[in-house]
């Protein structure tokens, strides 16, 4: 394995000069702001997250502020970030933080894991970036940097493996682990990208195992890009957009006009209801979800 000290200083120095100025990294960022950013950034680029994050933090600066709203309002203000169940998870998380933790985002990794919708990555990221904890933060960008720099593999496995976790733990510096985590993440986002890595601009290109091995191609299954046009996901998005804009129940006819394929439309609508993103009312209308009391 590459000696960790050969990675730490170059990556941290590069980050010092190249880090993006993002509000959830600011000195005055709250743990709640960090948590919201981490949920929003899952499978979504920064440029799309920024305006929605600012809107959320202006509207709901604390977990209690969001918890006081109906879950449908979280879905409404999720906008076009995609994967709107994340909005419901954030709402459920806000209620748990408010009801069980006095409105304060927990700092303990295990406690964070107990919150609704919070997985290993998010718990580690919040404990590290918001509270300075020493945790291995393994998002897609970090995993790709480690796969190339240390294991000479173009891409990491589809799912995070135990070996990756052990490697990430071994590479953690004794001091400054949060800054190391965000620095590697930034390197993967800006330089060691999935499709067109800029090796000439990489601060660790001289020790990168993948480059030194001649950049061997990915040996696993072909990586397929996600399609969107014509899919159930696009149909769901169209239906949900009607509900978000309506600010109240809408008749079925208002949903029918946004998608021609009736079978696919009904399947997508049933999926939204099953996922808790929409509600069917007794009078035949539909709305965004309301909390049961």
């Amino acid at each position: 394995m590459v000696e960790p000290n050969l990675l730490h200083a170059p990556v941290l120095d590069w980050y010092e000069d190249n880090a993006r100025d993002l509000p959830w990294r600011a000195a005055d960022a709250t743990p709640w702001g960090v948590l919201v950013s981490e949920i929003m950034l899952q499978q979504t680029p920064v440029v799309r997250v920024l305006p929605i994050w600012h809107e959320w933090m202006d509207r709901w600066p604390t977990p209690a502020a969001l918890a006081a709203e109906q879950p449908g309002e979280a879905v409404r203000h999720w906008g076009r970030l995609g994967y709107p169940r994340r909005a419901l998870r954030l709402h459920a998380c806000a209620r748990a933080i408010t009801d069980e933790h006095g409105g304060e985002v927990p700092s303990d990794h295990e406690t964070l894991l107990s919150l609704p919708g919070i997985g290993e990555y998010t718990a580690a990221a919040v404990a590290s970036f918001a509270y300075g904890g020493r945790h291995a933060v393994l998002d897609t960008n970090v995993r790709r940097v480690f796969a190339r720099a240390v294991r000479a593999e173009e891409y990491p496995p589809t799912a995070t493996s135990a070996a990756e976790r052990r490697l990430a733990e071994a590479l953690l510096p004794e001091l400054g682990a949060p800054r190391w985590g965000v620095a590697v993440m930034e390197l993967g986002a800006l330089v060691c990208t999935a499709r067109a890595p800029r090796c000439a601009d990489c601060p660790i290109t001289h020790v990168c195992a993948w480059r030194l091995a001649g950049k061997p191609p990915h040996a696993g299954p072909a990586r397929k890009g996600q399609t969107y046009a014509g899919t159930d996901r696009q149909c769901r998005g169209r239906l949900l957009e009607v509900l978000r804009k309506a600010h109240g129940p809408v008749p079925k006819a208002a949903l029918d006009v946004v998608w021609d394929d009736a079978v696919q439309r009904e399947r997508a609508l049933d999926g939204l209801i099953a996922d808790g993103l929409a509600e069917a009312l007794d009078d035949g209308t539909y709305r965004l979800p309301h909390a049961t009391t």
Side-chain angles (χ1 to χ4, degrees):
M1 189 178 81
V2 178
E3 172 61 39
N5 290 336
L6 296 178
L7 302 176
H8 291 159
V11 171
L12 291 169
D13 288 346
W14 174 88
Y15 181 72
E16 184 70 25
D17 295 333
N18 294 278
R20 289 170 291 182
D21 183 16
L22 300 176
W24 44 84
R25 294 178 182 167
D28 60 352
T30 65
W32 172 240
V34 173
L35 174 57
V36 171
S37 76
E38 290 298 340
I39 299 296
M40 288 185 171
L41 286 164
Q42 293 170 9
Q43 298 178 281
T44 309
V46 166
V47 67
R48 288 175 58 196
V49 167
L50 275 169
I52 305 299
W53 184 88
H54 280 295
E55 180 187 338
W56 270 56
M57 296 312 296
D58 287 342
R59 182 180 295 271
W60 301 308
T62 64
L66 177 58
E69 295 269 17
Q70 290 289 346
E73 290 306 299
V75 176
R76 188 187 314 283
H77 293 283
W78 194 251
R80 300 184 65 82
L81 284 181
Y83 306 101
R85 277 178 288 182
R86 292 181 293 167
L88 291 181
R89 290 200 293 268
L90 258 176
H91 185 270
C93 192
R95 289 204 162 172
I97 292 170
T98 302
D99 295 343
E100 301 168 17
H101 301 284
E104 299 293 331
V105 176
S107 60
D108 176 69
H109 181 265
E110 292 302 316
T111 306
L112 285 163
L113 274 175
S114 72
L115 296 174
I118 301 299
E120 173 61 36
Y121 164 75
T122 305
V126 173
S128 181
F129 301 151
Y131 291 109
R134 189 175 182 271
H135 300 281
V137 182
L138 278 171
D139 80 338
T140 301
N141 290 313
V142 174
R143 295 176 62 223
R144 187 169 57 252
V145 170
F146 289 166
R148 290 173 178 170
V150 180
R151 302 205 314 268
E153 298 172 0
E154 185 177 15
Y155 299 116
T158 302
T160 304
S161 67
E164 286 182 285
R165 296 192 189 283
R166 289 193 296 269
L167 172 61
E169 293 285 350
L171 291 174
L172 275 178
E174 288 300 322
L175 299 175
R179 191 164 183 83
W180 163 250
V182 75
V184 177
M185 192 179 297
E186 193 79 333
L187 183 65
L190 300 182
V191 175
C192 193
T193 58
R195 291 183 176 84
R198 298 189 290 112
C199 297
D201 299 323
C202 180
I204 54 174
T205 190
H206 60 294
V207 293
C208 175
W210 182 59
R211 188 192 69 80
L212 294 173
K215 299 183 180 179
H218 181 55
R223 296 165 61 87
K224 299 179 181 179
Q226 291 184 334
T227 58
Y228 183 68
T231 62
D232 282 8
R233 185 174 163 226
Q234 185 184 33
C235 182
R236 284 164 59 104
R238 295 269 183 89
L239 298 173
L240 201 56
E241 185 176 11
V242 173
L243 299 178
R244 286 203 313 265
K245 290 181 176 178
H247 292 274
V250 301
K252 182 65 161 51
L255 299 172
D256 290 343
V257 298
V258 301
W259 199 264
D260 292 335
D261 186 329
V263 173
Q264 187 178 28
R265 186 178 65 239
E266 294 305 312
R267 182 171 66 242
L269 182 56
D270 287 345
L272 289 175
I273 294 170
D275 290 341
L277 291 165
E279 291 182 352
L281 304 183
D282 292 339
D283 62 0
T285 61
Y286 297 81
R287 70 181 182 187
L288 292 174
H290 284 223
T292 57
T293 57

